[in-house]
Structures are given as structure tokens and as C-alpha cells.
Amino acid sequence: MSLEIKKLEKKFSNLKVLDGIDLKVSGGEIVFILGRSGTGKSVLLKSIVGLLKPDSGEIWIDEEEVSHLSEEKYVPIRKKCGMVFQHPALFDSLSVFENVAFGVRRHFSHYSEEKIKSVVLESLSLVELYGVENKMAFEISYGMQKRVSLARTLAIKPRYLLFDEPTTGLDPVITRAINKLIWRLSRKLKVTAIVVSHDMQCALEISDRIVVLDQGQIVEESNPQLIRTSKVPLVQEFLA
């Protein structure tokens, strides 16, 4: 189980956002991708799940090159790659239960209602939410909404979890809780986690590897111990 990106390029108009990205992520790794705003971090994630098509380069997921796939053929790839967006994006008109069940009903239409209930409650327990399944999405706190969003992603049993700024807008206490949750889920479920972030402290605490992007290129890539000694100016800024 692995994910590999080869010479990936993407530009919008005349702005090159990704400029020849090479990155390999092994199964079970937690990799943080750091960089300033506008350096292509989120574009990289969206390219992996097929929401954006690269201009050139390759994306390999479990030994299958996927960057050329049509929207229809990308559906099974998205079951492997669960995307957790920066904002929870829950359906306010639905209960927590139905929000988590939404993807299950779509991807596993053969499941009975009893099976769906089991999957939903298991997913909520994985993110440490109990007894909230009958609440409406707007009735719970923002931090809980973030967890429900993660539970919705876990419910389809992905091999890869892609997080886009998972702790944005959260206070320090909830931020630490979300980070611990990402680490625990990766280790318990043996899933690969790729986390786009601007928070070096979070990366130092839970990642196996830190990748730093600047102007569409990888300028540093190392484990948390070695990254502290980096001489790259941008990395030193983040550390400071």
C-alpha cells in the first residue's frame, strides 16, 4: 500500500502552483505538508482525489496510475482516499447519523439499515463521539462538527486519510485533541495520513515525516527530529 507522486505540475492561468512535485508516502505513515498560503498544499490534495487534474506528471495509488482517470472511474479511488476538508461541510438539515451515513448509502447501497447503523455508530466511536447521533448538525459545537466530518470519512473505510488544515479555527485544547485523534486513528486502523497544515508544532508532535513546500516545490523533507536542524530559511521561520 503506497501513494506516489511523480513530476506533478499544475498551473492556473500563468501561475504555476505545483512545479514538478515528487513524493512517495508509505502505508501507515503520517506525513505533514507545510507551507505558506498559496504554495499548492491544498491543490496537491485535491489532485490526489481527482478534484483537480494535473497538467502533467503522475499519481500512483496502490500501483495504479490514476491522474488520467475519468470522473466515473475515479469513484473507487475516492473510496480509498478519504478527504477531510478544512470546514466540516455537514448538511444542516440532516442529523449527525444521516451525515455520517451519507457516503455509506452511496458507496455501499447493498448494506441493510442495521449494517448502516452499525457502521455509523462505530465511526462515531472512533472519533470519540457518543450519544450525538440523533442531534442535528447545527446543534453541536464546531469542534464536534469537525469530528463528525472525520467520522463521515472513516465510514467508507479508506486506506488513505487526507486532511486539509484540520485544526483551523480551533482553540489550542481542541487542536491537541484533533492531533492526537489523527495519530491514534492512523496507528489503530493502519491507514496512511497526509495532513496539509501551517502548524509546525502539530507536525513535530505527531508526524513521521514533514514536507515543506515553497513556490510549488519541495524545499525540505525530513523526520521531525532532523527538521529542527534544517538550514532552509522557510523551515527556520516555521520553527520560530
Side-chain angles (χ1 to χ4, degrees), residues 5-8 20-24 218 221:
I5 294 164
K6 301 179 180 180
K7 307 297 181 187
L8 202 68
I21 297 292
D22 287 304
L23 179 65
K24 185 171 183 178
I218 294 176
E221 181 178 352

Side-chain angles (χ1 to χ4, degrees), residues 1 11 13 22 49 85-86 109 131 133 156 205 210 218 233:
M1 187 173 75
K11 67 178 182 180
S13 298
D22 287 304
V49 296
F85 292 96
Q86 181 174 339
S109 56
E133 61 272 12
I156 62 171
E205 287 177 0
I210 298 171
I218 294 176

Side-chain angles (χ1 to χ4, degrees), residues 33-37 39 41 197-201 204 212-213 232-240:
I33 300 175
L34 274 65
R36 298 189 183 98
S37 297
T39 55
K41 306 186 301 295
S197 179
H198 62 275
D199 193 329
M200 177 63 85
Q201 188 57 44
L204 292 171
V212 182
L213 289 186
V232 175
L234 179 59
V235 178
Q236 292 180 336
E237 286 182 33
F238 272 107
L239 288 167

Side-chain angles (χ1 to χ4, degrees), residues 11 37 57 133 136 167 209 220 231:
K11 67 178 182 180
S37 297
E133 61 272 12
M136 300 300 288
T167 58
R209 189 154 43 109
E220 184 63 283
K231 302 302 182 184

Side-chain angles (χ1 to χ4, degrees), residues 143-157:
M144 292 175 74
Q145 288 180 20
K146 296 274 264 192
R147 288 174 180 256
V148 172
S149 175
L150 176 52
R152 179 176 58 188
T153 302
L154 291 172
I156 62 171
K157 311 295 185 186

Side-chain angles (χ1 to χ4, degrees), residues 184-198:
R184 185 173 61 80
L185 288 171
S186 176
R187 296 303 188 250
K188 181 177 180 177
L189 302 178
K190 295 180 170 48
V191 297
T192 302
I194 302 175
V195 186
V196 157
S197 179
H198 62 275

Side-chain angles (χ1 to χ4, degrees), residues 13-25:
S13 298
N14 294 322
L15 178 63
K16 184 169 280 191
V17 180
L18 299 178
D19 189 8
I21 297 292
D22 287 304
L23 179 65
K24 185 171 183 178
V25 182

